[in-house]
Amino acid sequence: MSAVRSLRLEYLTPSESHSEEWDDVLGAAAFDGGARDLGAGLDFPIAHVHMPVLGDGRQMLEVWRAGGRPQPGSHGRVRYARSGEFLFGSLAVHESQATPPAGSRARTPLEIATELAYREMYAALAAAGDPQLVRVWNYIPDINLDTHGLERYRQFNAARHEASLACGRAVAGNVPAASALGAARGSPLTVYFLASHRAPTFVENPRQVSAYRYPSQYGPRSPAFSRATVLGEGRDATLFVSGTASIVGHRTLHAGDPAAQTRETLVNIEALLQEAARRCGSCSLRMETLLYKVYVRDPKDLPVVKAEIESALGSGAALLYLKADVCRRDLAVEIEAAGGG
Ligand code: 3EB
């Protein structure tokens, strides 16, 4: 067993989690209060994401496990746990409480919160021996709202860019896979992340312009993420697919047609999977063995989105449906995925 294979992901309902063993949990994300019943005394970081779970209206937990017993730690606002090569971390920043870090050019409360979050994430990583970022999840309240003359998602991109430059981090090329979704109004900016002491492979989608090369029509600073990353090689590869949408080149396709957007998004994920397999030496990655988080902007689209996904992946795939605003107003759905072969 390689070290990479010891990283495991599952989606649990709170009732399933009652009987769980927590000893090997590296970290978790709780959607819509999914950690409420977990009980006290758990040592791992939990990102609390204020986002409705669709389907049976349940709260859900995204659980990352690693071999051994992870060691907890904290640095600034970051809570983290380490096991072997892996580090999982989580932090939340309330915009109302954020004061600009020294040397910051942030103008808006969200820019300040984003700069703080990213600087603290980088500082925590540096203090932990500098494992490389593999995957970052960003949950941003009112992501599509215009304030201070700029959409908040674009403010987030500007501040992520600034913080990364300030901390000597890449803003293109070797950048982690990521997602950026809307969270409930009034909730804090919530960021969680996975890092590894083994360098990932950074994968781009041949059907899409790299997000970090998007033209300026999508905002003054491009989104600094890779379309996917892979840890390990061959049969031991673990794939992390960024939030993926109905974008070809840099343009949105099928505006107003959630079914067609879902199909196009799955074609994008399949293309990424093929590209990842090529890059990591014909690994055994398959669409059927990945786990998926599906973000749907309007719950009334859920039946058509679900129908498209089930016809592509079968009814046995591991899926978590969430209601979230997506980072372009003309996108109705976004899908992320992770898993091994
Ligand atoms: C896109 O292709 C879709 O800003 O970190 C997907 C994944 C998207 C991550 C991010 C944004 C991000 O532009 C949006």
Side-chain angles (χ1 to χ4, degrees):
M1 286 282 264
S2 87
V4 169
R5 282 244 82 29
S6 67
L7 191 61
R8 294 190 319 282
L9 167 62
E10 38 184 16
Y11 302 138
L12 298 174
T13 65
S15 60
E16 288 169 320
S17 66
H18 278 141
S19 56
E20 280 297 317
E21 281 287 337
W22 301 106
D23 284 358
D24 63 345
V25 175
L26 190 63
F31 293 90
D32 221 20
R36 220 171 276 150
D37 300 327
L38 286 189
L42 297 176
D43 243 359
F44 54 84
I46 303 175
H48 297 275
V49 182
H50 300 266
M51 178 176 282
V53 176
L54 296 175
D56 307 327
R58 294 168 309 187
Q59 301 150 351
M60 287 296 285
L61 271 181
E62 172 186 345
V63 177
W64 290 90
R65 296 175 191 274
R69 185 184 279 269
Q71 292 301 305
S74 64
H75 190 96
R77 291 177 178 79
V78 178
R79 289 208 50 206
Y80 65 82
R82 307 170 69 178
S83 179
E85 71 182 270
F86 303 112
L87 183 150
F88 178 104
S90 164
L91 80 166
V93 182
H94 283 277
E95 289 169 54
S96 57
Q97 293 164 9
T99 49
S104 166
R105 300 197 317 200
R107 304 166 306 126
T108 74
L110 178 61
E111 288 176 358
I112 294 167
T114 303
E115 279 222 27
L116 281 171
Y118 270 74
R119 285 179 185 231
E120 290 198 5
M121 176 177 71
Y122 292 139
L125 289 168
D130 235 354
Q132 291 204 46
L133 273 180
V134 175
R135 181 66 166 96
V136 184
W137 290 264
N138 304 284
Y139 294 100
I140 305 165
D142 276 325
I143 192 169
N144 295 133
L145 191 70
D146 287 315
T147 71
H148 306 82
L150 194 64
E151 186 190 24
R152 280 165 55 85
Y153 174 58
R154 299 176 181 205
Q155 296 177 27
F156 166 81
N157 277 319
R160 171 170 56 180
H161 182 102
E162 290 297 323
S164 300
L165 288 184
C167 297
R169 304 281 177 155
V171 292
N174 292 358
V175 284
S179 302
L181 281 303
R185 175 166 300 167
S187 60
L189 171 68
T190 302
V191 177
Y192 64 98
F193 53 96
L194 265 169
S196 169
H197 286 286
R198 185 191 319 211
T201 303
F202 302 92
V203 180
E204 290 301 297
N205 187 337
R207 304 180 81 232
Q208 296 183 309
V209 172
S210 294
Y212 48 74
R213 307 244 182 269
Y214 276 171
S216 58
Q217 73 197 75
Y218 302 105
R221 295 292 186 203
S222 301
F225 70 94
S226 292
R227 297 297 183 183
T229 51
V230 189
L231 279 178
E233 292 185 345
R235 305 192 66 79
D236 291 329
T238 299
L239 174 66
F240 302 87
V241 177
S242 291
T244 304
S246 179
I247 296 172
V248 175
H250 58 75
R251 293 200 166 78
T252 300
L253 296 192
H254 319 298
D257 185 345
Q261 286 196 18
T262 305
R263 290 193 295 272
E264 197 73 48
T265 301
L266 291 169
V267 172
N268 274 332
I269 293 176
E270 175 85 54
L272 265 170
L273 191 142
Q274 295 305 329
E275 183 67 8
R278 189 181 71 75
R279 292 282 308 285
C280 71
S282 71
C283 52
S284 49
L285 297 167
R286 300 172 51 80
M287 292 291 278
E288 293 76 18
T289 58
L290 299 179
L291 290 83
Y292 296 85
K293 271 153 82 191
V294 182
Y295 301 97
V296 181
R297 184 187 288 277
D298 185 339
K300 82 168 167 24
D301 294 336
L302 182 64
V304 292
V305 170
K306 222 171 175 169
E308 292 298 338
I309 289 176
E310 283 178 10
S311 96
L313 301 177
S315 52
L319 292 154
L320 172 49
Y321 290 94
L322 297 157
K323 176 188 183 309
D325 288 340
V326 182
C327 65
R328 288 187 188 182
R329 291 180 178 119
D330 53 11
L331 290 173
V333 61
E334 181 170 311
I335 304 175
E336 62 178 60

